[in-house]
Amino acid sequence: MKATIYDIAREAGVSIATVSQVINGKGKISEKRRAEIMEIMERLHYQPSAIAAALTGKQTYTLGLLVPDISNPYFAELARAVEDRSRQLGYSVVICSTDNKDERVERYLNLLQQKGSMA
């Protein structure tokens, strides 16, 4: 089972707020305590939840890329470059092929907005 922030807090004997501060590099926590919490996170293979981070930070770090035709080599290459650079910057990319149809563009824009990929 995947370790949660609650598991880390319980194991370390601290609040989830303290664990969150360690994850985000904030708060007045001694370096020794910070290292102990980081060691527990590593031992339990803890991965912060992107969904939880998006809810609290109001950012999903997800980009929506609409292309007219993903099978077109130009757009496939463009999408690949966007995805590669986005990943380097800590973003994920949702690629949507619209087939040059306005109704698909509209549907994808609505979907991306609902998922918080658009401001």
Side-chain angles (χ1 to χ4, degrees):
M1 189 156 100
K2 185 177 172 184
T4 68
I5 194 169
Y6 298 99
D7 298 326
I8 304 305
R10 184 173 43 256
E11 180 88 13
V14 299
S15 70
I16 60 167
T18 301
V19 176
S20 177
Q21 289 174 344
V22 169
I23 292 168
N24 295 306
K26 297 182 179 181
K28 295 182 181 183
I29 303 164
S30 73
E31 286 305 312
K32 180 182 176 189
R33 192 64 168 145
R34 191 177 297 274
E36 289 170 356
I37 293 169
M38 294 295 287
E39 186 277 324
I40 292 168
M41 290 168 46
E42 192 173 313
R43 183 168 37 86
L44 297 179
H45 305 287
Y46 173 73
Q47 292 292 316
S49 166
I51 294 169
L55 289 173
T56 58
K58 295 187 174 54
Q59 290 185 322
T60 62
Y61 294 95
T62 302
L63 304 173
L65 177 64
L66 278 65
V67 294
D69 181 5
I70 196 68
S71 67
N72 180 316
Y74 171 79
F75 293 117
E77 188 173 331
L78 175 74
R80 178 61 186 259
V82 168
E83 195 276 334
D84 286 346
R85 184 64 178 139
S86 298
R87 189 180 36 190
Q88 290 172 351
L89 297 172
Y91 287 80
S92 299
V93 179
V94 175
I95 300 171
C96 307
S97 185
T98 66
D99 291 330
N100 288 308
K101 295 180 180 170
D102 291 340
E103 64 274 5
R104 288 188 82 174
V105 170
E106 181 88 24
R107 190 170 67 227
Y108 282 133
L109 288 174
N110 287 332
L111 175 70
L112 292 169
Q113 194 166 32
Q114 288 171 3
K115 298 217 177 270
S117 300
M118 296 174 49

